[in-house]
Amino acid sequence: MRIAFAAAALAALALPGAATADEKPYPKGEAELAKMLEGRVAGKPVKCLSSSTLGQSTVIDKTAIVYRSGSKLYVNRPRGGADQLSDDEILVTQIYGSQLCNVDKIDLVDRSSRMWSGFVVLGDFVPYTKVK
């Protein structure tokens, strides 16, 4: 029994991007993200992005935030609160210093009521570049 439990725990640790029991993947969001990343290849995750290079951000419902920097897309799958992400939410980002990092939190404000509706805690940023 202990061996089965240890094997399950190790499998969970080996998949850091996998959803926890509380946060199941959202099929519609995953499909939208896959379409956005078509023809791109993932690079090595980074912990921070320079605020001077950040461009437009796109919210993928209950899945991720995609930041554009030139032709490169950075996908951030929040470590917490991803299930609250919606394109009906306004992202309120406070950057301390000159970088947005994987330890930062982003507040969510409801677009219609303008009331605070939650927050997400960022994860690592995975760069995606177009395949030549």
Side-chain angles (χ1 to χ4, degrees):
M1 184 62 132
R2 286 184 181 177
I3 294 173
F5 178 73
L10 285 174
L13 290 173
L15 300 170
T20 63
D22 294 338
E23 293 185 29
K24 295 182 176 126
Y26 181 61
K28 183 179 173 188
E30 293 296 336
E32 184 180 343
L33 181 61
K35 185 176 180 179
M36 181 180 276
L37 298 175
E38 237 172 54
R40 295 177 180 268
V41 64
K44 183 179 176 186
V46 295
K47 295 180 186 281
C48 297
L49 295 178
S50 172
S51 61
S52 64
T53 63
L54 286 179
Q56 174 185 353
S57 64
T58 304
V59 174
I60 307 297
D61 284 352
K62 300 181 183 185
T63 306
I65 304 169
V66 180
Y67 295 93
R68 182 174 296 280
S69 179
S71 63
K72 197 176 283 189
L73 298 180
Y74 287 90
V75 176
N76 190 289
R77 292 180 180 264
R79 292 182 288 137
D83 60 325
Q84 298 179 52
L85 286 173
S86 164
D87 59 2
D88 290 333
E89 303 292 328
I90 298 169
L91 303 179
V92 180
T93 307
Q94 291 183 330
I95 297 177
Y96 301 96
S98 62
Q99 296 183 319
L100 182 62
C101 295
N102 64 355
V103 294
D104 292 332
K105 97 175 166 64
I106 295 179
D107 287 306
L108 304 172
V109 174
D110 182 75
R111 190 173 303 280
S112 57
S113 70
R114 303 286 194 242
M115 294 186 66
W116 183 85
S117 60
F119 67 93
V120 296
V121 179
L122 296 176
D124 287 342
F125 298 87
V126 180
Y128 284 83
T129 54
K130 288 186 179 181
V131 178
K132 294 180 181 180

